[in-house]
Amino acid sequence: MSRRLEHLRGHRRFAALATALAATLAALLPGVPAAAETQQREWTGTWATAQHASYDPGTSEVTVRIPVRVSAGGSSVRIRLTNDFTTEPVTIGNATVGLRAAGSAVTKPQKLRFGGKSEVTIAAGEQGASDQVQLTVPARSDLVVSLYFPGRLTHISQHWMGLQTVYWTPDGGGDHAADAGGDAFTKTDSTFPFLTGVDVQGGDTAGAVVALGDSITDGAASTSNANRRWPDYLAGRLSACSSTAGVLNEGISGNRITAGVDGNPSALDRLERDVLSQPGARTVVLFEGVNDLSWGGATGDQVIDGMKEIARRVHARGLRLIGATVVPYRGWGDWWTEAKEADRQQVNTFVRDGGVFDGYADFDKAVRDPDDPTRYAAAFDSGDHLHPNDTGMKAFADAIDLTTLGAARDCPSARVRLTPYRPTLQAGGDGTKITSTVTNTGPTAVTQVSTRLDLPDGWSAEPAGSARIRSLAPGDSATITWTVTPAADAVWGTHEIGVRTSFLQDGRTRHDSDSVDATVTPAPSAVQPPYLTTATTTEEPQYAQNSGQFAIWAGGQDLSGWKDEKAAVYLADAAPPSGTVTARVVGQTGSGPSAKAGIAVANDLTAPEAGGYAVLTMSAQFGLEFLTDSDGDGKLDTWAGGGSSYHPAWLKLVRDGTAYTAYASSDGTAWQQVATATVPSASGTGDAGMVASAVNLNYPDQITTALFDSFSTHE
């Protein structure tokens, strides 16, 4: 009944009925008291996700802490919970909401009540909403929702691809919903449990835009914990308007228009629950069809019929519907055929010219390769040829004409973008060319356009020409190429480069911004004492050090067995008879899939035949490899490990006399034991260092580059 009532509110002819039913609804739906229900029309969705599956967590007495990035702001907030995909009720014993401080910490968590009570039980298949909480929520800020589950938690209704770290207490951890600090939350995953929506009141919103989609809308292949899904970028654009709108992401990986499966209902089947019932919904952006046409077996006519039915139902509720064209996918597995491409073109022609939608966003045009429109352009492709990278996600958001949404007004008309996506710069090297492009998407000229870069401390940027433009006509673009040089001591790794533009639009100063992740790479340099180097490769190795960061460029055929070809940066007499050696391998590039990077110990690393030789590495593609010399001849003849490769990787060797135990971790906190081995020839204090090998048995003459950003030894 709760969903039905939400829908009736969308029609003025049912306003009186909605008011009369409010008290009855409050009694049936936990957490929606009658007083709050009469104000329902003022709520606007600011964050949402589509729950679609459940699982048994096998845990008791736990608290979960869920960070979410809201779109629109407000002066009060409530949350919505669902138990839709389960067969048992769930009880929340305590719940809070607050602005995120950092990580799992919360600034002044506010207690949530449900119908005036601290505890709420939601029946299987039902939903619940909290009472209103007075809390100033800035637009595009991070909220944290904490839920405590007393007793045995038998199931979790979830949205599995959250792309966001969600924090849990360990089994039996108890109620920590009201904690400001995050120390109790020692476990993590990346699914959204039970939480299906966050709503605000008292902001400057003009309704909400609901994105109905599949894995691309869900954010697949975008950067985790960075909010770089295309609806996130759309929310960023709308936040600069005089009146903004909430943006609600209702994408589910694998979703289709024409058919659904258990745990993933079709877009038609979930339209009522996930779209039409959203508080304050004004506009729907429909971006589906690629799964139907590729692996789903649907024809173009079937997809079009499904789109027509969605349009009929959306329009019947008085909402606007924007269609998005289906993106190219040639190269994604073996799903593409010429016949399926013809169906895609048929669907896209319908989206553009069919007269059913209130507007369309040409996502296909935004990311396709001009030389081969059946494929993604390389700049937007994540690598799997279906899902876009962050830049592709941004291109989708840019392809939406904000004036067609009917949910925001007075938006900036000029946009600035940086290219290339993920530029590479060398520490201490020459500058790198980065281009800013300002485009006027509005109907009138903008004037006094000024652009500047935002750089890390110590960096410099020189524009080729003036960074000011007197006037930019509608549809025109202007580019500025900057030579960007990082600081000589810039930390190797990822740095954000931002760009800001200001301009006059209709007599008012407006702004837009963009950013890219730039990668600073090392240049060969001297290794500083007390560090030393050694190598056994035919190719000349190179090294670099930047404070606590190290780089090794190495060739070689293999590190184990009869080859033992490697390059190392090490400390002499640093491995105690009983103690640990630890390093973090940030990444490894070049050479083949067996290339290795990790830590090594020996009585004398320059002469492994002196005994005590052991190595723990993460290979480029084949997981952990723990190798030891069992007989003291200097050859690594035992092996343990395997599994999947991951970077960054923390590696640790613990020595107790002649016994070596290897550990690995993805975060430096939770350690996995790889194996234990005896190295009889180990004696006294030995050498310890970082090691890399290209393993070029099948990749002759290639060089691997291994990066480390931490190395230590401890007794």
Side-chain angles (χ1 to χ4, degrees), residues 235-267:
R237 289 189 62 200
L238 288 169
S239 68
C241 303
S242 295
S243 66
T244 185
V247 179
L248 308 180
N249 188 332
E250 296 292 345
I252 299 178
S253 180
N255 204 232
R256 290 177 285 168
I257 294 174
T258 58
V261 295
D262 186 31
N264 198 337
S266 72

Side-chain angles (χ1 to χ4, degrees), residues 267-429:
L268 284 163
D269 288 341
R270 67 189 184 95
L271 186 66
E272 192 77 18
R273 182 200 70 179
D274 290 346
V275 178
L276 302 180
S277 64
Q278 294 299 324
R282 294 277 297 273
T283 304
V284 181
V285 179
L286 174 62
F287 180 32
E288 295 221 30
V290 70
N291 292 325
D292 301 82
L293 297 174
S294 57
W295 54 267
T299 66
D301 287 334
Q302 289 171 325
V303 172
I304 289 170
D305 287 344
M307 288 180 167
K308 289 179 178 178
E309 176 62 14
I310 289 173
R312 184 190 67 78
R313 291 170 60 186
V314 168
H315 287 148
R317 294 300 179 85
L319 306 182
R320 295 177 61 79
L321 181 63
I322 305 300
T325 50
V326 180
V327 294
Y329 62 91
R330 189 172 188 176
W332 180 53
D334 297 324
W335 297 114
W336 186 91
T337 66
E338 291 186 0
K340 292 178 180 179
E341 177 65 19
D343 281 335
R344 187 178 75 91
Q345 296 298 339
Q346 177 191 1
V347 171
N348 285 350
T349 297
F350 169 76
V351 172
R352 296 180 182 112
D353 305 326
V356 167
F357 297 100
D358 300 297
Y360 73 90
D362 207 336
F363 286 5
D364 168 46
K365 182 180 179 181
V367 298
R368 70 192 181 204
D369 185 343
D371 297 324
D372 183 357
T374 66
R375 299 178 183 272
Y376 266 83
F380 305 121
D381 192 350
S382 69
D384 69 5
H385 312 305
L386 171 67
H387 301 98
N389 55 28
D390 294 351
T391 298
M393 292 289 186
K394 192 183 303 177
F396 289 155
D398 285 349
I400 296 175
D401 182 351
L402 301 186
T403 63
T404 67
L405 297 178
R409 64 178 179 83
D410 190 23
C411 301
S413 61
R415 296 201 297 274
V416 63
R417 293 293 178 254
L418 284 178
T419 54
Y421 168 70
R422 294 194 180 278
T424 297
L425 304 90
Q426 191 173 64

Side-chain angles (χ1 to χ4, degrees), residues 1-29 31-44 78 80 127 129 199 201 272 275-282 314-319:
M1 182 179 292
S2 61
R3 299 191 190 95
R4 181 168 180 265
L5 181 54
E6 288 286 328
H7 303 153
L8 296 179
R9 286 197 192 92
H11 302 273
R12 292 179 180 176
R13 64 181 183 275
F14 291 123
L17 177 60
T19 302
L21 290 177
T24 301
L25 177 66
L28 294 177
L29 179 63
V32 186
E37 189 64 22
T38 60
Q39 300 172 1
Q40 179 77 3
R41 280 167 286 182
E42 300 177 16
W43 288 109
T44 297
R78 73 171 185 181
R80 288 178 285 123
Q127 297 187 9
D199 308 326
Q201 285 183 340
E272 192 77 18
V275 178
L276 302 180
S277 64
Q278 294 299 324
R282 294 277 297 273
V314 168
H315 287 148
R317 294 300 179 85
L319 306 182

Side-chain angles (χ1 to χ4, degrees), residues 1 227 434 564 645:
M1 182 179 292
N227 300 297
I434 296 178
D564 191 39
S645 294

Side-chain angles (χ1 to χ4, degrees), residues 302-673:
Q302 289 171 325
V303 172
I304 289 170
D305 287 344
M307 288 180 167
K308 289 179 178 178
E309 176 62 14
I310 289 173
R312 184 190 67 78
R313 291 170 60 186
V314 168
H315 287 148
R317 294 300 179 85
L319 306 182
R320 295 177 61 79
L321 181 63
I322 305 300
T325 50
V326 180
V327 294
Y329 62 91
R330 189 172 188 176
W332 180 53
D334 297 324
W335 297 114
W336 186 91
T337 66
E338 291 186 0
K340 292 178 180 179
E341 177 65 19
D343 281 335
R344 187 178 75 91
Q345 296 298 339
Q346 177 191 1
V347 171
N348 285 350
T349 297
F350 169 76
V351 172
R352 296 180 182 112
D353 305 326
V356 167
F357 297 100
D358 300 297
Y360 73 90
D362 207 336
F363 286 5
D364 168 46
K365 182 180 179 181
V367 298
R368 70 192 181 204
D369 185 343
D371 297 324
D372 183 357
T374 66
R375 299 178 183 272
Y376 266 83
F380 305 121
D381 192 350
S382 69
D384 69 5
H385 312 305
L386 171 67
H387 301 98
N389 55 28
D390 294 351
T391 298
M393 292 289 186
K394 192 183 303 177
F396 289 155
D398 285 349
I400 296 175
D401 182 351
L402 301 186
T403 63
T404 67
L405 297 178
R409 64 178 179 83
D410 190 23
C411 301
S413 61
R415 296 201 297 274
V416 63
R417 293 293 178 254
L418 284 178
T419 54
Y421 168 70
R422 294 194 180 278
T424 297
L425 304 90
Q426 191 173 64
D430 296 334
T432 297
K433 304 296 184 184
I434 296 178
T435 299
S436 61
T437 302
V438 181
T439 302
N440 182 7
T441 63
T444 60
V446 296
T447 59
Q448 299 184 31
V449 182
S450 177
T451 304
R452 67 179 178 86
L453 294 188
D454 292 333
L455 302 171
D457 290 342
W459 292 35
S460 64
E462 293 295 331
S466 175
R468 297 179 179 273
I469 304 165
R470 180 171 297 179
S471 180
L472 198 59
D476 282 358
S477 297
T479 62
I480 303 169
T481 298
W482 309 74
T483 300
V484 179
T485 305
D489 60 351
V491 173
W492 308 333
T494 301
H495 299 259
E496 184 176 83
I497 296 177
V499 64
R500 297 176 184 271
T501 189
S502 63
F503 52 92
L504 285 182
Q505 175 183 328
D506 299 327
R508 292 177 53 200
T509 300
R510 308 300 294 267
H511 305 273
D512 192 47
S513 62
D514 189 27
S515 65
V516 295
D517 289 335
T519 301
V520 174
T521 61
S525 63
V527 171
Q528 302 300 314
Y531 288 95
L532 304 169
T533 63
T534 186
T536 56
T537 60
T538 55
E539 300 91 345
E540 185 69 24
Q542 292 180 301
Y543 309 93
Q545 181 181 359
N546 183 12
S547 186
Q549 294 183 298
F550 300 86
I552 302 175
W553 290 264
Q557 293 192 59
D558 204 349
L559 196 151
S560 64
W562 56 280
K563 287 293 182 183
D564 191 39
E565 297 189 3
K566 65 184 183 298
V569 175
Y570 72 100
L571 291 172
D573 298 325
S578 294
T580 63
V581 178
T582 307
R584 191 172 89 136
V585 185
V586 178
Q588 185 172 19
T589 58
S591 187
S594 295
K596 300 174 176 65
I599 51 179
V601 296
N603 295 344
D604 183 349
L605 273 176
T606 66
E609 64 275 9
Y613 191 25
V615 173
L616 174 62
T617 68
M618 180 67 75
S619 72
Q621 293 183 24
F622 297 135
L624 293 160
E625 299 196 50
F626 176 39
L627 305 102
T628 63
D629 174 11
S630 67
D631 56 12
D633 66 352
K635 305 299 184 184
L636 298 169
D637 53 18
T638 72
W639 182 95
S644 300
S645 294
Y646 55 86
H647 293 92
W650 286 92
L651 304 177
K652 179 166 65 176
L653 278 176
V654 178
R655 179 186 175 189
D656 184 6
T658 60
Y660 287 13
T661 304
Y663 298 88
S665 172
S666 61
D667 60 7
T669 302
W671 292 91
Q672 164 201 353
Q673 182 172 319

Side-chain angles (χ1 to χ4, degrees), residues 14-282:
F14 291 123
L17 177 60
T19 302
L21 290 177
T24 301
L25 177 66
L28 294 177
L29 179 63
V32 186
E37 189 64 22
T38 60
Q39 300 172 1
Q40 179 77 3
R41 280 167 286 182
E42 300 177 16
W43 288 109
T44 297
T46 186
W47 178 90
T49 194
Q51 299 281 333
H52 61 99
S54 66
Y55 70 98
D56 182 350
T59 191
S60 301
E61 294 288 336
V62 292
T63 307
V64 64
R65 185 154 277 182
I66 313 165
V68 298
R69 171 64 59 86
V70 303
S71 50
S75 58
S76 61
V77 65
R78 73 171 185 181
I79 69 168
R80 288 178 285 123
L81 304 170
T82 186
N83 196 24
D84 264 357
F85 288 88
T86 66
T87 58
E88 300 291 335
V90 65
T91 296
I92 290 98
N94 191 17
T96 63
V97 64
L99 295 175
R100 190 178 194 178
S104 56
V106 184
T107 301
K108 297 180 180 178
Q110 303 293 308
K111 188 175 183 61
L112 289 168
R113 298 187 182 276
F114 301 82
K117 299 179 180 179
S118 297
E119 182 175 289
V120 62
T121 297
I122 305 175
E126 295 298 325
Q127 297 187 9
S130 74
D131 301 345
Q132 175 179 339
V133 171
Q134 297 294 323
L135 178 67
T136 299
V137 180
R140 306 287 293 143
S141 63
D142 286 348
L143 277 183
V144 177
V145 175
S146 301
L147 307 173
Y148 162 60
F149 304 97
R152 172 77 161 84
L153 182 56
T154 61
H155 60 273
I156 290 176
S157 180
Q158 65 164 343
H159 179 91
W160 74 266
M161 192 169 71
L163 294 175
Q164 170 68 59
T165 298
V166 173
Y167 303 90
W168 290 84
T169 60
D171 187 35
D175 183 3
H176 291 276
D179 290 8
D183 291 346
F185 298 87
T186 58
K187 298 177 61 179
T188 62
D189 65 20
S190 58
T191 67
F192 293 125
F194 295 107
L195 183 67
T196 193
V198 178
D199 308 326
V200 292
Q201 285 183 340
D204 60 356
T205 61
V209 177
V210 186
L212 177 59
D214 49 38
S215 59
I216 300 177
T217 297
D218 211 1
S222 68
T223 302
S224 296
N225 289 311
N227 300 297
R228 293 179 180 177
R229 313 163 190 87
W230 72 259
D232 296 318
Y233 283 116
L234 177 61
R237 289 189 62 200
L238 288 169
S239 68
C241 303
S242 295
S243 66
T244 185
V247 179
L248 308 180
N249 188 332
E250 296 292 345
I252 299 178
S253 180
N255 204 232
R256 290 177 285 168
I257 294 174
T258 58
V261 295
D262 186 31
N264 198 337
S266 72
L268 284 163
D269 288 341
R270 67 189 184 95
L271 186 66
E272 192 77 18
R273 182 200 70 179
D274 290 346
V275 178
L276 302 180
S277 64
Q278 294 299 324
R282 294 277 297 273

